[in-house]
Amino acid sequence: MVADDRPPALAFRRAEEDDHARVVAVIPEWWGLPGTESLWRLLPRLFFQYFGDTSTIVEDADGVLAGFLIGFRSQSTPEVAYIHFVGVRPDLRRSGLARGLYERFFDEMRASGCRRVDAITGPGNRRSQEFHAAMGFTASGDTTTDGVRAWRDYDGPGEHRVAFSRPL
């Protein structure tokens, strides 16, 4: 008998406030990078309260969290959308789920009049940087940190970030 390597059936739906606890609970395990134990603090409940209509939760056939994308359209620059946080369960990486989440978001934001999507990541998160480059994002920064271009003190003293932009 041959093992079935296809990903399980997945259900996509809008994020709800009640999803917050289970999403932040998986972040340390799913990221698994040094220094990311408190990364979940960057995803407060307000994102689920106020941006659920532009954010997506993915569950497998058993209702287990498979992935998520938290994003929104900018209020101050309506032609720009922002992807704040994305995660895919480790056993589903390289299945196309992250790409699918991004493409769905791109389509929705394009339909709402957006012409660009922005995102950020940490200089040490090479996996995220490679993914964003493969998705057509261009990285920017004003300094070199950990061998990559990043914006110095982007999120406060010592909190450097790689910024990405992609036209729609």
Side-chain angles (χ1 to χ4, degrees):
M1 184 170 190
V2 177
D4 187 354
D5 290 335
R6 292 177 297 176
L10 300 175
F12 292 70
R13 65 171 175 80
R14 291 292 178 214
E16 299 172 357
E17 187 174 349
D18 288 345
D19 293 314
H20 177 257
R22 72 183 188 146
V23 167
V24 298
V26 301
I27 290 174
E29 176 190 345
W30 287 13
W31 266 250
L33 297 170
T36 59
E37 298 81 19
S38 63
L39 188 62
W40 59 270
R41 294 177 191 263
L42 297 175
L43 191 56
R45 180 178 297 276
L46 70 89
F47 284 95
F48 295 80
Q49 291 171 314
Y50 299 108
F51 303 112
D53 63 336
T54 55
S55 298
T56 303
I57 298 293
V58 184
E59 296 166 321
D60 66 19
D62 296 321
V64 176
L65 187 64
F68 62 90
L69 182 147
I70 308 302
F72 55 90
R73 184 176 180 190
S74 171
Q75 294 296 304
S76 57
T77 313
E79 69 274 7
V80 177
Y82 180 75
I83 295 175
H84 181 66
F85 230 97
V86 180
V88 170
R89 198 169 68 205
D91 66 305
L92 294 174
R93 291 196 183 129
R94 299 193 132 352
S95 70
L97 178 54
R99 177 175 289 280
L101 282 164
Y102 271 64
E103 292 293 345
R104 289 169 66 101
F105 185 77
F106 295 161
D107 290 346
E108 291 171 2
M109 293 300 104
R110 189 180 298 110
S112 74
C114 289
R115 295 190 309 264
R116 188 179 88 216
V117 175
D118 292 344
I120 62 168
T121 194
N125 193 341
R126 297 297 199 274
R127 188 171 60 225
S128 175
Q129 293 164 33
E130 291 167 4
F131 175 77
H132 282 90
M135 291 297 298
F137 284 84
T138 301
S140 67
D142 63 358
T143 190
T144 300
T145 302
D146 294 334
V148 298
R149 297 293 298 162
W151 292 97
R152 179 184 305 283
D153 301 328
Y154 184 95
D155 276 333
E159 297 295 328
H160 316 312
R161 299 289 182 262
V162 179
F164 300 100
S165 287
R166 179 192 189 277
L168 289 179

